[in-house]
Amino acid sequence: MSSALRLRNFRYLSTSAAAAAAGTPPSSISISKAKSRLRSEYDPDKALEIYSSVSKDYSSPISSRYAQEFTVRRLAKARRFSDVESLIESHKSDPKITEEPFLCTLIRSYGIAGMFDKAFTTFNQMDSLGTPRTVLSFNALLSACNQSKLYDKVPNLFVEIPEKYVLSPDKISYGILVKSYSEAGASEKAIETLNVMEEKNVEVTAVTFTTVLDTLYKKGKSEEAEKLWSERVKKGYELDVAAHNVRMMNAQCGDPEKVKELIEEMINAGLKPDTISYNYLMTSYCKSGMMEEAENVYRKLEENGCKPNAATFRTLISYLCRSGDYETGYTVFNVSVRWNKIPDFTTMKILVEGLVKAKKMEAAKGLIRRVKKKFPHNLLRAWSKVEQELGLASADTASASAEEK
């Protein structure tokens, strides 16, 4: 089937070109529409069809990059690597291949699929393809290496490629290098790289600094992380919301008052806490058994200029279920539906089991009906199994399930 889809994809490309030559636009959808559909499409065959219908008249390579990456992710997850290769290689005959940003999307896509050897081959083909090679494609190659989880290769590439092609690494290059060290667990090398950047007057971006900070906390090196934070603050570095959130993430398992202090510190620094910030505070209250305070943080999100996300609802519903408050959990679930931020299957299963335990049968049935309309089709069977196990299945619900499919 995949071979047939590849052929159909290539035929589409040919038809598009012929239609363009004839002055007739091909049947297509916009890039934004394709991205929207791909986010909720888990079937790799359908994802490939959606991507094949994307208009070829986009204004820049970046505009189609995410649609391409979504498609590659779906194919790679299904281990359809031959399809990934066919899809990416087909773009090398596109006239835009001489544009470096366009070729970079191909290198990155190979990285997303974990096919670094193909990414490296594409990088080496740039001369024959007539594509200029700058630090832009160098960074794409380094990113592909990280995405392929070949972290140990990045430091060597960082030295060898600039020497071979006379390129100068920029702040993004160094950021990717720091990321590779962090992912490999070499936090000391990551910090050393930050110092090298300062010596060479290369900007240490907030993202790069946050990467190192996050690694130190995750490795249990909180004292080193706080020391690094203090040093940067003294040097006048502007630390963004994401950096502050990393500190809160580390503090959320402890005293909620500490998380509150960090939020106040952020506000005093002229920054506005975001949903993630308040989620950490809410989580800290939940873990401390202070559910009333947690619910209060949730209720005041909009007042604080934030919108709840899926993690907000997942965390609160999960802890409400742990405390046996399934009725409030169901109320929060209804809000998540309105926000289109329904939590994951596991959280919803715990809630529906709790509703049945609390004899709230109609609420349990209503929950399953609603999530079956929102969850991917590959989970419909799992929900049907839950219905059977909890005694919620009936002729009516079976009929409703058939209609929803």
Side-chain angles (χ1 to χ4, degrees):
M1 185 174 183
S2 62
S3 296
L5 278 167
R6 288 201 301 275
L7 180 58
R8 190 186 313 166
N9 185 39
F10 299 147
R11 283 176 177 166
Y12 168 79
L13 295 174
S14 299
T15 302
S16 299
T24 305
S27 175
S28 62
I29 59 175
S30 68
I31 293 291
S32 59
K33 181 67 174 177
K35 286 192 290 185
S36 176
R37 290 174 59 184
L38 284 166
R39 283 191 189 96
S40 58
E41 183 52 71
Y42 296 87
D43 185 312
D45 292 330
K46 291 180 180 178
L48 188 57
E49 289 180 335
I50 292 170
Y51 181 69
S52 296
S53 67
V54 173
S55 170
K56 304 302 168 185
D57 297 326
Y58 47 79
S59 58
S60 72
I62 302 301
S63 63
S64 69
R65 168 182 166 185
Y66 297 105
Q68 180 175 296
E69 291 181 356
F70 271 123
T71 306
V72 167
R73 281 194 181 91
R74 298 293 182 258
L75 292 170
K77 190 171 184 179
R79 304 193 67 78
R80 298 262 292 274
F81 299 111
S82 59
D83 283 344
V84 171
E85 184 176 357
S86 295
L87 176 66
I88 296 175
E89 292 299 313
S90 71
H91 288 301
K92 290 183 180 179
S93 59
D94 191 304
K96 288 185 289 295
I97 195 64
T98 57
E99 300 172 10
E100 190 177 17
F102 180 85
L103 185 137
C104 286
T105 66
L106 308 187
I107 293 176
R108 289 192 188 93
S109 289
Y110 269 134
I112 287 170
M115 301 168 70
F116 179 69
D117 56 335
K118 297 295 181 182
F120 198 34
T121 296
T122 301
F123 180 80
N124 287 328
Q125 288 175 336
M126 292 179 72
D127 291 331
S128 61
L129 292 170
T131 316
R133 185 185 285 105
T134 70
V135 71
L136 187 67
S137 49
F138 170 57
N139 290 342
L141 183 67
L142 293 181
S143 292
C145 197
N146 267 349
Q147 289 169 325
S148 298
K149 303 188 186 304
L150 300 174
Y151 308 119
D152 292 340
K153 281 184 173 289
V154 174
N156 291 333
L157 290 172
F158 191 87
V159 173
E160 294 169 2
I161 298 298
E163 287 181 353
K164 182 176 180 179
Y165 295 105
V166 195
L167 299 172
S168 296
D170 61 8
K171 62 183 179 182
I172 296 174
S173 315
Y174 277 99
I176 300 169
L177 176 62
V178 166
K179 176 73 172 176
S180 72
Y181 282 135
S182 297
E183 292 292 345
S187 55
E188 67 287 344
K189 286 284 188 182
I191 295 174
E192 184 181 309
T193 302
L194 294 184
N195 294 331
V196 170
M197 292 175 72
E198 288 185 346
E199 291 171 7
K200 292 187 174 184
N201 291 319
V202 177
E203 179 189 351
V204 177
T205 67
V207 172
T208 299
F209 172 74
T210 302
T211 298
V212 179
L213 193 71
D214 185 45
T215 300
L216 289 172
Y217 280 126
K218 286 179 178 176
K219 294 294 180 181
K221 299 179 179 181
S222 297
E223 288 186 13
E224 288 185 40
E226 287 300 314
K227 179 182 177 183
L228 182 64
W229 179 276
S230 298
E231 288 175 353
R232 300 292 145 170
V233 170
K234 287 179 182 177
K235 290 180 179 179
Y237 279 83
E238 291 187 9
L239 303 173
D240 62 6
V241 172
H244 283 268
N245 282 345
V246 167
R247 295 180 80 203
M248 276 183 262
M249 178 182 66
N250 180 67
Q252 67 177 325
C253 295
D255 186 354
E257 289 302 313
K258 175 61 178 176
V259 183
K260 284 182 67 176
E261 287 176 14
L262 292 174
I263 287 180
E264 287 300 320
E265 186 178 323
M266 185 190 302
I267 294 172
N268 292 335
L271 298 172
K272 183 178 178 297
D274 61 10
T275 300
I276 296 172
S277 312
Y278 288 111
N279 278 354
Y280 286 139
L281 178 59
M282 185 186 73
T283 300
S284 187
Y285 278 131
C286 287
K287 289 184 175 181
S288 298
M290 303 167 71
M291 293 308 299
E292 186 175 336
E293 288 83 353
E295 290 177 54
N296 191 45
V297 173
Y298 160 72
R299 284 192 294 268
K300 288 187 175 180
L301 271 177
E302 289 188 74
E303 183 182 317
N304 287 317
C306 300
K307 297 178 180 179
N309 58 21
T312 308
F313 294 115
R314 181 180 66 246
T315 300
L316 187 55
I317 290 174
S318 177
Y319 278 94
L320 285 168
C321 289
R322 290 189 195 187
S323 65
D325 192 353
Y326 302 111
E327 191 168 349
T328 302
Y330 183 62
T331 299
V332 175
F333 158 73
N334 287 327
V335 178
S336 79
V337 174
R338 291 199 294 273
W339 281 98
N340 197 29
K341 300 291 183 181
I342 299 176
D344 58 282
F345 174 81
T346 300
T347 303
M348 290 295 90
K349 182 173 181 289
I350 292 171
L351 177 57
V352 78
E353 288 171 343
L355 290 171
V356 170
K357 182 180 178 181
K359 309 298 182 185
K360 303 286 184 181
M361 305 303 284
E362 290 306 312
K365 291 179 181 179
L367 184 152
I368 290 182
R369 280 198 301 271
R370 296 174 84 175
V371 295
K372 286 171 75 173
K373 292 178 181 178
K374 297 287 187 178
F375 275 61
H377 283 278
N378 61 336
L379 284 176
L380 291 181
R381 185 176 297 178
W383 278 116
S384 295
K385 184 179 179 182
V386 171
E387 284 181 303
Q388 293 289 339
E389 291 174 346
L390 297 177
L392 299 174
S394 65
D396 290 339
T397 57
S399 175
S401 295
E403 290 178 6
E404 289 162 4
K405 290 182 182 180

PDB file of all heavy atoms in Angstrom, residues 251-271:
ATOM      1  N   ALA A 251      11.276  22.974  41.815  1.00  0.00           N
ATOM      2  CA  ALA A 251      10.757  23.259  43.158  1.00  0.00           C
ATOM      3  C   ALA A 251       9.351  22.711  43.399  1.00  0.00           C
ATOM      4  O   ALA A 251       8.904  22.649  44.550  1.00  0.00           O
ATOM      5  CB  ALA A 251      10.751  24.773  43.393  1.00  0.00           C
ATOM      6  N   GLN A 252       8.659  22.267  42.346  1.00  0.00           N
ATOM      7  CA  GLN A 252       7.241  21.907  42.477  1.00  0.00           C
ATOM      8  C   GLN A 252       6.979  20.712  43.403  1.00  0.00           C
ATOM      9  O   GLN A 252       5.867  20.543  43.894  1.00  0.00           O
ATOM     10  CB  GLN A 252       6.645  21.613  41.100  1.00  0.00           C
ATOM     11  CG  GLN A 252       7.206  20.369  40.441  1.00  0.00           C
ATOM     12  CD  GLN A 252       6.540  20.060  39.120  1.00  0.00           C
ATOM     13  OE1 GLN A 252       5.347  20.284  38.955  1.00  0.00           O
ATOM     14  NE2 GLN A 252       7.307  19.566  38.164  1.00  0.00           N
ATOM     15  N   CYS A 253       8.002  19.879  43.629  1.00  0.00           N
ATOM     16  CA  CYS A 253       7.815  18.711  44.494  1.00  0.00           C
ATOM     17  C   CYS A 253       7.975  19.061  45.976  1.00  0.00           C
ATOM     18  O   CYS A 253       7.745  18.215  46.847  1.00  0.00           O
ATOM     19  CB  CYS A 253       8.796  17.600  44.122  1.00  0.00           C
ATOM     20  SG  CYS A 253       8.512  16.929  42.475  1.00  0.00           S
ATOM     21  N   GLY A 254       8.382  20.285  46.244  1.00  0.00           N
ATOM     22  CA  GLY A 254       8.595  20.698  47.630  1.00  0.00           C
ATOM     23  C   GLY A 254       7.500  21.604  48.154  1.00  0.00           C
ATOM     24  O   GLY A 254       6.326  21.473  47.803  1.00  0.00           O
ATOM     25  N   ASP A 255       7.892  22.564  48.971  1.00  0.00           N
ATOM     26  CA  ASP A 255       6.966  23.496  49.602  1.00  0.00           C
ATOM     27  C   ASP A 255       6.372  24.444  48.553  1.00  0.00           C
ATOM     28  O   ASP A 255       7.104  25.122  47.827  1.00  0.00           O
ATOM     29  CB  ASP A 255       7.733  24.304  50.657  1.00  0.00           C
ATOM     30  CG  ASP A 255       6.828  25.209  51.466  1.00  0.00           C
ATOM     31  OD1 ASP A 255       5.628  25.303  51.144  1.00  0.00           O
ATOM     32  OD2 ASP A 255       7.330  25.833  52.417  1.00  0.00           O
ATOM     33  N   PRO A 256       5.033  24.503  48.467  1.00  0.00           N
ATOM     34  CA  PRO A 256       4.389  25.417  47.514  1.00  0.00           C
ATOM     35  C   PRO A 256       4.811  26.870  47.704  1.00  0.00           C
ATOM     36  O   PRO A 256       4.815  27.649  46.749  1.00  0.00           O
ATOM     37  CB  PRO A 256       2.892  25.239  47.802  1.00  0.00           C
ATOM     38  CG  PRO A 256       2.789  23.868  48.386  1.00  0.00           C
ATOM     39  CD  PRO A 256       4.044  23.696  49.189  1.00  0.00           C
ATOM     40  N   GLU A 257       5.162  27.227  48.946  1.00  0.00           N
ATOM     41  CA  GLU A 257       5.574  28.604  49.212  1.00  0.00           C
ATOM     42  C   GLU A 257       6.838  28.959  48.430  1.00  0.00           C
ATOM     43  O   GLU A 257       7.021  30.106  48.028  1.00  0.00           O
ATOM     44  CB  GLU A 257       5.814  28.806  50.715  1.00  0.00           C
ATOM     45  CG  GLU A 257       4.543  28.809  51.547  1.00  0.00           C
ATOM     46  CD  GLU A 257       3.569  29.895  51.088  1.00  0.00           C
ATOM     47  OE1 GLU A 257       4.012  31.047  50.882  1.00  0.00           O
ATOM     48  OE2 GLU A 257       2.373  29.577  50.932  1.00  0.00           O
ATOM     49  N   LYS A 258       7.703  27.975  48.205  1.00  0.00           N
ATOM     50  CA  LYS A 258       8.920  28.215  47.429  1.00  0.00           C
ATOM     51  C   LYS A 258       8.563  28.534  45.980  1.00  0.00           C
ATOM     52  O   LYS A 258       9.149  29.441  45.373  1.00  0.00           O
ATOM     53  CB  LYS A 258       9.833  26.977  47.485  1.00  0.00           C
ATOM     54  CG  LYS A 258      11.072  27.071  46.607  1.00  0.00           C
ATOM     55  CD  LYS A 258      11.989  28.227  46.999  1.00  0.00           C
ATOM     56  CE  LYS A 258      13.233  28.262  46.143  1.00  0.00           C
ATOM     57  NZ  LYS A 258      14.096  29.435  46.438  1.00  0.00           N
ATOM     58  N   VAL A 259       7.578  27.826  45.439  1.00  0.00           N
ATOM     59  CA  VAL A 259       7.143  28.084  44.063  1.00  0.00           C
ATOM     60  C   VAL A 259       6.514  29.469  43.974  1.00  0.00           C
ATOM     61  O   VAL A 259       6.752  30.208  43.011  1.00  0.00           O
ATOM     62  CB  VAL A 259       6.138  27.011  43.584  1.00  0.00           C
ATOM     63  CG1 VAL A 259       5.742  27.254  42.131  1.00  0.00           C
ATOM     64  CG2 VAL A 259       6.739  25.614  43.724  1.00  0.00           C
ATOM     65  N   LYS A 260       5.729  29.834  44.998  1.00  0.00           N
ATOM     66  CA  LYS A 260       5.135  31.174  45.038  1.00  0.00           C
ATOM     67  C   LYS A 260       6.221  32.249  45.058  1.00  0.00           C
ATOM     68  O   LYS A 260       6.107  33.276  44.384  1.00  0.00           O
ATOM     69  CB  LYS A 260       4.228  31.319  46.266  1.00  0.00           C
ATOM     70  CG  LYS A 260       2.882  30.626  46.139  1.00  0.00           C
ATOM     71  CD  LYS A 260       2.023  30.844  47.379  1.00  0.00           C
ATOM     72  CE  LYS A 260       1.610  32.287  47.536  1.00  0.00           C
ATOM     73  NZ  LYS A 260       0.698  32.487  48.696  1.00  0.00           N
ATOM     74  N   GLU A 261       7.270  32.005  45.808  1.00  0.00           N
ATOM     75  CA  GLU A 261       8.387  32.958  45.875  1.00  0.00           C
ATOM     76  C   GLU A 261       9.045  33.135  44.507  1.00  0.00           C
ATOM     77  O   GLU A 261       9.395  34.255  44.117  1.00  0.00           O
ATOM     78  CB  GLU A 261       9.433  32.465  46.878  1.00  0.00           C
ATOM     79  CG  GLU A 261       9.026  32.596  48.333  1.00  0.00           C
ATOM     80  CD  GLU A 261      10.073  31.998  49.264  1.00  0.00           C
ATOM     81  OE1 GLU A 261      11.211  31.732  48.787  1.00  0.00           O
ATOM     82  OE2 GLU A 261       9.762  31.776  50.453  1.00  0.00           O
ATOM     83  N   LEU A 262       9.201  32.023  43.791  1.00  0.00           N
ATOM     84  CA  LEU A 262       9.822  32.084  42.472  1.00  0.00           C
ATOM     85  C   LEU A 262       8.940  32.841  41.478  1.00  0.00           C
ATOM     86  O   LEU A 262       9.441  33.556  40.604  1.00  0.00           O
ATOM     87  CB  LEU A 262      10.108  30.666  41.957  1.00  0.00           C
ATOM     88  CG  LEU A 262      11.195  29.901  42.727  1.00  0.00           C
ATOM     89  CD1 LEU A 262      11.294  28.465  42.217  1.00  0.00           C
ATOM     90  CD2 LEU A 262      12.542  30.604  42.593  1.00  0.00           C
ATOM     91  N   ILE A 263       7.626  32.703  41.630  1.00  0.00           N
ATOM     92  CA  ILE A 263       6.704  33.459  40.773  1.00  0.00           C
ATOM     93  C   ILE A 263       6.821  34.944  41.081  1.00  0.00           C
ATOM     94  O   ILE A 263       6.847  35.785  40.169  1.00  0.00           O
ATOM     95  CB  ILE A 263       5.248  32.962  40.950  1.00  0.00           C
ATOM     96  CG1 ILE A 263       5.077  31.593  40.267  1.00  0.00           C
ATOM     97  CG2 ILE A 263       4.252  33.972  40.371  1.00  0.00           C
ATOM     98  CD1 ILE A 263       3.685  31.007  40.372  1.00  0.00           C
ATOM     99  N   GLU A 264       6.902  35.269  42.359  1.00  0.00           N
ATOM    100  CA  GLU A 264       7.068  36.671  42.745  1.00  0.00           C
ATOM    101  C   GLU A 264       8.395  37.222  42.229  1.00  0.00           C
ATOM    102  O   GLU A 264       8.480  38.368  41.779  1.00  0.00           O
ATOM    103  CB  GLU A 264       7.014  36.795  44.277  1.00  0.00           C
ATOM    104  CG  GLU A 264       5.628  36.622  44.875  1.00  0.00           C
ATOM    105  CD  GLU A 264       4.644  37.662  44.359  1.00  0.00           C
ATOM    106  OE1 GLU A 264       5.033  38.840  44.212  1.00  0.00           O
ATOM    107  OE2 GLU A 264       3.487  37.290  44.083  1.00  0.00           O
ATOM    108  N   GLU A 265       9.420  36.407  42.280  1.00  0.00           N
ATOM    109  CA  GLU A 265      10.734  36.804  41.777  1.00  0.00           C
ATOM    110  C   GLU A 265      10.651  37.106  40.276  1.00  0.00           C
ATOM    111  O   GLU A 265      11.251  38.066  39.787  1.00  0.00           O
ATOM    112  CB  GLU A 265      11.738  35.678  42.044  1.00  0.00           C
ATOM    113  CG  GLU A 265      13.176  36.035  41.690  1.00  0.00           C
ATOM    114  CD  GLU A 265      14.145  34.925  42.010  1.00  0.00           C
ATOM    115  OE1 GLU A 265      13.955  34.247  43.049  1.00  0.00           O
ATOM    116  OE2 GLU A 265      15.106  34.712  41.222  1.00  0.00           O
ATOM    117  N   MET A 266       9.895  36.289  39.570  1.00  0.00           N
ATOM    118  CA  MET A 266       9.720  36.495  38.133  1.00  0.00           C
ATOM    119  C   MET A 266       8.998  37.816  37.863  1.00  0.00           C
ATOM    120  O   MET A 266       9.403  38.598  36.997  1.00  0.00           O
ATOM    121  CB  MET A 266       8.905  35.338  37.540  1.00  0.00           C
ATOM    122  CG  MET A 266       8.755  35.389  36.028  1.00  0.00           C
ATOM    123  SD  MET A 266       7.570  34.191  35.365  1.00  0.00           S
ATOM    124  CE  MET A 266       8.257  32.661  35.933  1.00  0.00           C
ATOM    125  N   ILE A 267       7.943  38.063  38.622  1.00  0.00           N
ATOM    126  CA  ILE A 267       7.165  39.293  38.451  1.00  0.00           C
ATOM    127  C   ILE A 267       8.023  40.520  38.766  1.00  0.00           C
ATOM    128  O   ILE A 267       7.997  41.522  38.047  1.00  0.00           O
ATOM    129  CB  ILE A 267       5.906  39.271  39.356  1.00  0.00           C
ATOM    130  CG1 ILE A 267       4.948  38.168  38.880  1.00  0.00           C
ATOM    131  CG2 ILE A 267       5.205  40.631  39.346  1.00  0.00           C
ATOM    132  CD1 ILE A 267       3.776  37.917  39.810  1.00  0.00           C
ATOM    133  N   ASN A 268       8.820  40.417  39.825  1.00  0.00           N
ATOM    134  CA  ASN A 268       9.706  41.525  40.211  1.00  0.00           C
ATOM    135  C   ASN A 268      10.772  41.796  39.155  1.00  0.00           C
ATOM    136  O   ASN A 268      11.305  42.914  39.067  1.00  0.00           O
ATOM    137  CB  ASN A 268      10.368  41.232  41.550  1.00  0.00           C
ATOM    138  CG  ASN A 268       9.384  41.241  42.715  1.00  0.00           C
ATOM    139  OD1 ASN A 268       8.338  41.893  42.630  1.00  0.00           O
ATOM    140  ND2 ASN A 268       9.697  40.525  43.782  1.00  0.00           N
ATOM    141  N   ALA A 269      11.086  40.766  38.349  1.00  0.00           N
ATOM    142  CA  ALA A 269      12.077  40.928  37.283  1.00  0.00           C
ATOM    143  C   ALA A 269      11.430  41.510  36.018  1.00  0.00           C
ATOM    144  O   ALA A 269      12.089  41.658  34.989  1.00  0.00           O
ATOM    145  CB  ALA A 269      12.731  39.588  36.958  1.00  0.00           C
ATOM    146  N   GLY A 270      10.131  41.844  36.133  1.00  0.00           N
ATOM    147  CA  GLY A 270       9.423  42.451  35.000  1.00  0.00           C
ATOM    148  C   GLY A 270       8.880  41.441  34.010  1.00  0.00           C
ATOM    149  O   GLY A 270       8.526  41.803  32.880  1.00  0.00           O
ATOM    150  N   LEU A 271       8.780  40.175  34.423  1.00  0.00           N
ATOM    151  CA  LEU A 271       8.270  39.130  33.539  1.00  0.00           C
ATOM    152  C   LEU A 271       6.874  38.704  33.964  1.00  0.00           C
ATOM    153  O   LEU A 271       6.499  38.803  35.137  1.00  0.00           O
ATOM    154  CB  LEU A 271       9.203  37.915  33.568  1.00  0.00           C
ATOM    155  CG  LEU A 271      10.632  38.152  33.070  1.00  0.00           C
ATOM    156  CD1 LEU A 271      11.493  36.921  33.342  1.00  0.00           C
ATOM    157  CD2 LEU A 271      10.628  38.472  31.576  1.00  0.00           C
TER     158      LEU A 271
END
